[in-house]
Amino acid sequence: MSRRALEGIRVLDFSHVLSGPVAGSMLGDLGADVIKVENIKGGDSTRQMGPPFQRDQTAFFQSVNRNKKSIAVSLKEPQGVEAILKLAAKADVLIENFRPGVMDRLGLGYEKVASLNPRIIYASMTAFGDTGPYKQNPGYELIVQALTGMVDLQSGVDGTPRKVQPQVVDLGTGFVMAIGILAALFHRERTGEGQQVKGSLLHSAAAILCNFYSKYAMDGTLPPRGLDTRSDFIAPSQAYKTADGYFITVSPGRQWASFCKAVGKPEWVTHPEFSDSAWRKTNVLRLEQEVQEITAKEPTAFWLRRFKECDVPIAKVNTLAEFMNEDPQSKALGLFKTVEHPALGTIGGQVSPPWEFSKTPCTVLAPPPMLGEHTDAILKEAGYTGQEIAEMREKKIVA
C-alpha cells in the first residue's frame, strides 16, 4: 500500500463527545497515529450514550472513534500526568475540547506542553471561546444552535422552536479544527514552528449560517418562520408531495425553463408572477400550491424520470435506511463500510472517509478501541517497564 498522507504524525486526542473526536477520526483516516486519552472511570461519555448497544458499546462512540488507540489514565494523579507529558513531548498534535483553563489546571496546558515540545500543534476547542461573558458556561450543540439563531430559523409558523437534528455545529467544528490542524502542520513543515489552534462551537455555528447573516445585514429582513424545506434564497427549492411520497427539487433561474417543461407548464416561463426569480420568491406560496396540484397526481418514480429527462435537479426524500441500503449512488461510491472488531464482531454503518486521493490512500484500518485497549503498548513505547505499568495499574493510575 502507498504511504498515507499523515503517516508518521502522532496525535494525542483528549477530546470527548463529538466535535473533537470527529477531528481526531479524520486525522486517523488520513493515516495519523491517533491515541485517544481517556479517564479510567468509563472513558469518553459517549461510551455510555445508548441505546443502541452492541454488547456494551454504543453506536455513538463507534461512529467517530475509528482508527484510534486508547490509553486510560487518571489525570488527577501526578504519575498519570507525567506519563502523558512523556507522550506529548514526542507528539505532533494534541486535541482537547475542555472548558478554558481545564488543561492548565491538569498541568497539560499549551505553555507547559510547548515548553517540552515547541513543534506541537495544540488544538483547543471550546463552546464559546476563551474570552467573553460566556467562556465558562457549559455548552452543547442545542445551546449553540439556540444562541446563533439556528433554532429560530427552523421554527414552525407558530414560532415553535425546532432543532436541526444532525449535530451540524459539533461536526462542523470538528471539520473546521481538522482543517486548522492541517494548516498548522503545513506551516510547521515550512518553518519548524508549532502553535496553538483555537476554535469554538459558537464561531463554527456562525460560519455555518454565514449567508443568512449576510442577507440580514444587506436587507434587514429575517427568514420567515415555517420555511420547512423551502429555501429563503431561491424558488422553487423545496419538497413536493407526490402520489406516494415526496421529492425535493432545486431550480435556480438558469433552470426555470427546464422546470416548467418538467411539470408541463411551459407558459410559466413568461408568467408575470413566475418568470423572474425575485417574483417567484415573492409568490412562492402560490407557486408551491400550483406545482403541488400537479405533482400529487403521479408517483415519485414518475417525477424522478421526468425531471431527469429535463435535466432538473431532483431527489427522492429518503429515510436513513433507504439511503444506506437501497440508494444506487450510495452503493456505487461505497459510502458505508463494515469493520471487524475483535470483541464486538462486525460493526456496520461506518461512513467511509470523505476523500479520494490518487496517491495517498485513506481508509478505515482499525475499529474504535475498547477503553484502555492499548495502554500497555503505548506506555512501553514511552519507556515504561512491565513492572512499572503493573504498579501504576495497581494504584489505579492507568487502566
Side-chain angles (χ1 to χ4, degrees), residues 217-261:
M218 183 174 290
D219 67 11
T221 63
L222 294 171
R225 287 175 170 164
L227 281 173
D228 295 325
T229 60
R230 294 187 208 99
S231 168
D232 191 42
F233 294 91
I234 57 174
S237 176
Q238 65 185 87
Y240 290 102
K241 185 170 177 54
T242 68
D244 62 355
Y246 290 88
F247 70 82
I248 292 273
T249 186
V250 179
S251 301
R254 69 183 186 279
Q255 292 170 318
W256 175 237
S258 298
F259 178 89
C260 296
K261 179 181 177 182

Side-chain angles (χ1 to χ4, degrees), residues 4-26:
R4 298 194 295 159
L6 295 184
E7 198 168 315
I9 296 295
R10 170 159 282 192
V11 179
L12 291 185
D13 183 0
F14 288 80
S15 65
H16 54 287
V17 189
L18 188 53
S19 59
V22 77
S25 183
M26 295 181 87

Side-chain angles (χ1 to χ4, degrees), residues 266-287:
E267 65 271 20
W268 283 357
V269 173
T270 56
H271 192 290
E273 293 181 353
F274 300 155
S275 60
D276 180 84
S277 60
W279 295 341
R280 289 195 295 280
K281 181 74 169 47
T282 300
N283 299 296
V284 65
L285 294 180
R286 181 178 169 188
L287 175 62

Side-chain angles (χ1 to χ4, degrees), residues 139-296:
Y140 294 91
E141 171 86 21
L142 185 54
I143 300 298
V144 174
Q145 282 197 24
L147 272 175
T148 54
M150 198 176 291
V151 166
D152 183 68
L153 187 63
Q154 297 295 115
S155 63
V157 175
D158 62 356
T160 303
R162 292 177 180 168
K163 175 185 183 289
V164 179
Q165 285 303 320
Q167 291 173 264
V168 293
V169 176
D170 275 329
L171 292 167
T173 303
F175 297 161
V176 165
M177 291 307 294
I179 294 170
I181 291 166
L182 294 175
L185 284 170
F186 184 70
H187 173 78
R188 192 185 73 176
E189 189 69 19
R190 293 189 297 183
T191 67
E193 296 176 334
Q195 62 181 304
Q196 187 173 19
V197 182
K198 298 179 182 180
S200 70
L201 300 182
L202 192 72
H203 204 153
S204 296
I208 290 168
L209 292 166
C210 63
N211 54 334
F212 289 95
Y213 293 136
S214 181
K215 180 179 181 297
Y216 172 73
M218 183 174 290
D219 67 11
T221 63
L222 294 171
R225 287 175 170 164
L227 281 173
D228 295 325
T229 60
R230 294 187 208 99
S231 168
D232 191 42
F233 294 91
I234 57 174
S237 176
Q238 65 185 87
Y240 290 102
K241 185 170 177 54
T242 68
D244 62 355
Y246 290 88
F247 70 82
I248 292 273
T249 186
V250 179
S251 301
R254 69 183 186 279
Q255 292 170 318
W256 175 237
S258 298
F259 178 89
C260 296
K261 179 181 177 182
V263 296
K265 290 288 184 178
E267 65 271 20
W268 283 357
V269 173
T270 56
H271 192 290
E273 293 181 353
F274 300 155
S275 60
D276 180 84
S277 60
W279 295 341
R280 289 195 295 280
K281 181 74 169 47
T282 300
N283 299 296
V284 65
L285 294 180
R286 181 178 169 188
L287 175 62
E288 176 183 338
Q289 182 180 355
E290 297 214 21
V291 173
Q292 188 66 84
E293 290 175 359
I294 297 168
T295 61

Side-chain angles (χ1 to χ4, degrees), residues 126-140:
T126 58
F128 304 111
D130 60 1
T131 188
Y134 298 166
K135 70 176 184 179
Q136 289 297 339
N137 290 5
Y140 294 91

